[in-house]
Amino acid sequence: MQFTKLLRTKLNLVMRSPLSLLPQNTSPEPKILIAVSGGQDSICLAKLLQMQQAKFGWHLAIAHCDHRWREDSQANADHVARFAQDLGLDFILRTADIVPKSEASARHWRYEMLAEMAKKHDCGYVVTGHTRSDRVETCLYNLMRGSGADGLAALSWRRSLTDGIELVRPLLNVSRAETAGFCMENQIAIWEDSTNADLSYRRNRLRLETIPYLQANFNPQLEVAIAQTAELLQEDVRYLENQAQNFFQENITVVWNEPPRLQCELLREQPLALQRRIVRQFLGRYLKHQVNFEDVERFLNLLTVQNRSQSSPFTGQLVAMLEHPWIVLQSRLANNHDT
Ligand SMILES: Nc1ncnc2c1ncn2[C@@H]1O[C@H](COP(=O)(O)OP(=O)(O)OP(=O)(O)O)[C@@H](O)[C@H]1O
């Protein structure tokens, strides 16, 4: 039982134990919803948690989301239902009314359903089977998209899913090879997603071609190295985000009322790394799309211009106007200096 022992040890480390992210032996019994796709990672997670259920006093349930985008999706859901029954755990299923059009919309729907199921069944925690391998893929993928530290700090151990419900990923230091070894060792049948081998998906090319190439030619320990980078950046990002939040709390440099405005002088005094985060948080409240690099740089350019009526338009209806000593965010219609 080599893999079983290894993974149990990894999850119960004395220092920084992933399981310490979950409540243990509290009263009332903590309820945890395990998101299971049927693949080796979430199957491994569910079995590992079930093995320790009595020790930590958890009430566990399994949730599956059927996106209905493959012909065999019903059989996939049935597989997970049988697995839950074998483990003696409750099974909760959500089936999509409308088949999602993209990976991103499927993921969005899935997290919405997981939050809704957790709320309905009184679970304070949702756990997913994301592994170190997922983390490395996400990190590399984001690197190629030009992402900053936030994207490279891919996948957090824990974040808020919705009000009062935490999302926890206990397998972030476990590799996919280890979850596969665990499932084999424990003779658990996993559901093979037929699209996993499809190289027309960029994510699959990264997993099946790029990462093995980098491992063979650059660093056999590539996964560990990149996961370490993500881990380090995560705390850097947290620190900088807090600093940016403090800026809003400590200085009367921002007015949130209409039209919202930021004071140029105090913003200019901050290091550029912080200026960028402050502006991103500020714009994030108002722009309809996700704030991107160009939006932030366009806003910050206003700090360097002399022309009092200079403006920077954003996609959509908003424009940032230099109105000394402020940069004001207003509707394009309200401003006739549009560039
Ligand atoms: N259909 C599903 N039903 C329930 N849980 C799921 C489903 N698909 C994925 N999950 C959960 O999400 C984890 C990650 O799955 P996967 O890597 O396929 O998702 P992803 O699309 O990359 O999502 P993410 O953006 O969260 O990384 C799984 O280990 C499992 O816990």
Side-chain angles (χ1 to χ4, degrees):
M1 295 301 259
Q2 168 203 354
F3 285 101
T4 308
K5 199 166 163 212
L6 173 72
L7 295 194
R8 287 187 73 145
T9 310
K10 275 196 174 189
L11 260 62
N12 286 291
L13 295 171
V14 178
M15 294 280 289
R16 296 177 64 88
S17 148
L19 290 190
S20 69
L21 298 170
L22 295 169
Q24 295 172 5
N25 295 315
T26 52
S27 175
E29 194 180 43
K31 285 187 160 184
I32 300 170
L33 193 64
I34 315 168
V36 176
S37 62
Q40 61 183 54
D41 303 335
S42 47
I43 287 273
C44 168
L45 174 67
K47 177 70 183 166
L48 272 167
L49 294 184
Q50 186 253 5
M51 282 169 150
Q52 314 204 57
Q53 183 177 22
K55 179 174 166 197
F56 293 124
W58 293 320
H59 179 94
L60 301 174
I62 285 184
H64 179 76
C65 304
D66 180 356
H67 305 96
R68 289 201 306 130
W69 59 5
R70 288 190 317 268
E71 275 181 7
D72 60 359
S73 75
Q74 170 76 53
N76 183 350
D78 292 344
H79 180 90
V80 179
R82 274 195 305 278
F83 169 68
Q85 196 176 24
D86 290 347
L87 294 191
L89 303 181
D90 296 338
F91 174 68
I92 310 163
L93 174 68
R94 286 290 178 279
T95 305
D97 292 331
I98 303 164
V99 180
K101 287 198 172 56
S102 65
E103 279 273 345
S105 58
R107 185 178 303 130
H108 183 79
W109 174 77
R110 188 161 72 234
Y111 279 118
E112 221 170 66
M113 288 303 105
L114 289 171
E116 187 250 315
M117 287 185 260
K119 215 175 226 166
K120 187 166 174 199
H121 294 269
D122 216 16
C123 299
Y125 294 81
V126 172
V127 292
T128 62
H130 288 99
T131 59
R132 187 172 69 204
S133 314
D134 290 312
R135 193 177 206 188
V136 170
E137 283 165 22
T138 308
C139 183
L140 280 174
Y141 192 75
N142 288 343
L143 176 67
M144 289 189 283
R145 289 171 51 231
S147 161
D150 298 44
L152 303 185
L155 301 187
S156 53
W157 286 91
R158 174 185 186 147
R159 72 170 167 86
S160 161
L161 182 61
T162 183
D163 286 348
I165 298 170
E166 292 285 309
L167 176 73
V168 176
R169 298 172 168 129
L171 297 186
L172 272 193
N173 64 359
V174 171
S175 73
R176 203 170 279 141
E178 289 167 346
T179 61
F182 174 92
C183 291
M184 261 178 41
E185 208 163 75
N186 287 279
Q187 299 181 340
I188 315 172
I190 55 172
W191 185 264
E192 294 284 2
D193 179 340
S194 47
T195 61
N196 274 352
D198 184 344
L199 293 178
S200 64
Y201 291 99
R202 274 184 291 193
R203 188 83 182 214
N204 290 349
R205 290 203 294 282
L206 196 56
R207 191 177 71 245
L208 299 170
E209 293 180 340
T210 317
I211 292 174
Y213 175 83
L214 293 173
Q215 276 166 333
N217 291 283
F218 292 91
N219 184 0
Q221 292 299 314
L222 184 93
E223 263 205 6
V224 175
I226 293 181
Q228 184 177 304
T229 303
E231 193 69 43
L232 288 168
L233 285 173
Q234 199 141 97
E235 290 312 308
D236 291 359
V237 166
R238 197 201 307 272
Y239 173 74
L240 285 170
E241 280 292 299
N242 285 341
Q243 291 295 103
Q245 271 163 21
N246 290 346
F247 174 87
F248 291 117
Q249 276 156 20
E250 284 171 10
N251 304 302
I252 312 202
T253 54
V254 60
V255 176
W256 298 110
N257 298 338
E258 285 300 314
R261 60 191 64 199
L262 257 176
Q263 209 193 94
C264 301
E265 211 39 55
L266 278 165
L267 184 60
R268 204 178 278 130
E269 281 172 9
Q270 308 303 317
L272 182 57
L274 217 48
Q275 287 182 12
R276 287 190 169 127
R277 276 181 196 276
I278 290 165
V279 170
R280 210 174 53 201
Q281 288 187 9
F282 180 70
L283 290 178
R285 290 207 181 192
Y286 302 100
L287 297 193
K288 294 229 159 40
H289 60 272
Q290 206 171 10
V291 182
N292 58 39
F293 181 74
E294 283 77 27
D295 294 329
V296 173
E297 296 308 296
R298 212 175 283 153
F299 189 100
L300 286 173
N301 274 342
L302 293 175
L303 292 180
T304 61
V305 297
Q306 300 303 321
N307 182 353
R308 283 178 65 84
S309 60
Q310 185 76 28
S311 66
S312 286
F314 301 106
T315 313
Q317 289 304 314
L318 288 175
V319 62
M321 286 282 301
L322 183 62
E323 283 182 15
H324 207 68
W326 304 95
I327 297 176
V328 179
L329 203 58
Q330 57 188 204
S331 150
R332 270 172 203 257
L333 303 173
N335 134 68
N336 46 20
H337 302 289
D338 221 350
T339 50

